Amino acid sequence: MDTTYLPPSHNLPVSYTEQIRIAEPAHFSVFRRDEHPGNNEPDRSDLYKILLPTKGRANFHYGDQQYRVTPDSILFIKPKEIKSWKNITEEQDGYYCLFTASFFAFNATQLKALQDSPLFSKDAAPVLPLTAGQATMFQDLFIKLYQEFNNILQYNTEMLRLYLHIILIEAGRVAAH
């Protein structure tokens, strides 16, 4: 059974609280880091996480490794890994999304693609460096993801899945070069 991350705030999006209320097994959520900074204590989650910092610097501990995180990077965190985050600068902003494999994959082929993704591999560093242009592209995608998540519209879930797939495809392209 997946455990659900609860951000430290009562100002939660309707999409998020509705998933919790009905105990939706396929979970997805996206947050702005300035509104919901997440947990700085070491933790482990049953969710996949993609984090795009747009302001600030931090030290990120993942397993037994430490990484310097800056706005020119994107992070891919797989379930069950121990991680912690320590801000180096006071100003922090960006986006992060959390999702279950059952949200991402609506068939066996997509589930295998997620599980075999080099972005979430044991051998891959979780922090992927970006050029300024790539960082802008990912920020634009996260803005669309965030807007879609906070607007309950027809085909909302399908749009969220598509944006998530686009983010992973684009990240795969970046990682391959």
Side-chain angles (χ1 to χ4, degrees):
M1 173 102 173
D2 291 331
T3 57
T4 304
Y5 168 75
L6 292 172
S9 172
H10 299 290
N11 184 24
L12 296 170
V14 172
S15 296
Y16 184 86
T17 55
E18 183 63 11
Q19 288 179 80
I20 302 302
R21 186 186 71 73
I22 65 173
E24 179 71 43
H27 179 83
F28 176 85
S29 53
V30 61
F31 300 100
R32 287 187 51 135
R33 292 188 61 238
D34 64 336
E35 295 171 355
H36 302 283
N39 186 358
N40 291 335
E41 298 299 318
D43 72 338
R44 186 186 313 237
S45 170
D46 291 328
L47 303 170
Y48 287 86
K49 183 175 187 175
I50 303 172
L51 189 143
L52 180 73
T54 58
K55 290 183 184 169
R57 294 187 330 260
N59 286 325
F60 176 62
H61 295 270
Y62 190 66
D64 61 355
Q65 299 291 320
Q66 179 175 312
Y67 301 90
R68 177 66 56 103
V69 178
T70 62
D72 55 351
S73 60
I74 187 168
L75 288 76
F76 296 89
I77 304 162
K78 64 183 176 259
K80 310 283 188 223
E81 288 294 321
I82 297 173
K83 61 196 172 302
S84 68
W85 182 275
K86 180 158 176 51
N87 293 338
I88 296 172
T89 59
E90 185 175 335
E91 184 180 40
Q92 297 284 317
D93 203 356
Y95 298 89
Y96 64 95
C97 67
L98 305 161
F99 60 96
T100 59
S102 60
F103 177 85
F104 177 84
F106 44 89
N107 64 42
T109 303
Q110 289 180 337
L111 178 60
K112 180 157 177 43
L114 177 64
Q115 292 169 338
D116 294 344
S117 170
L119 299 169
F120 295 105
S121 159
K122 287 182 183 180
D123 300 326
V127 180
L128 182 63
L130 303 173
T131 66
Q134 292 165 338
T136 299
M137 177 204 48
F138 281 110
Q139 184 172 359
D140 291 345
L141 287 168
F142 264 94
I143 288 169
K144 289 177 182 179
L145 195 67
Y146 181 80
Q147 290 170 339
E148 188 67 37
F149 182 70
N150 286 288
N151 293 310
I152 307 296
L153 300 171
Q154 188 175 15
Y155 307 114
N156 176 269
T157 300
E158 290 84 352
M159 290 297 291
L160 291 170
R161 276 193 189 106
L162 288 171
Y163 284 129
L164 184 56
H165 281 254
I166 291 168
I167 288 169
L168 289 174
I169 289 167
E170 291 290 356
R173 289 176 172 175
V174 171
H177 290 97

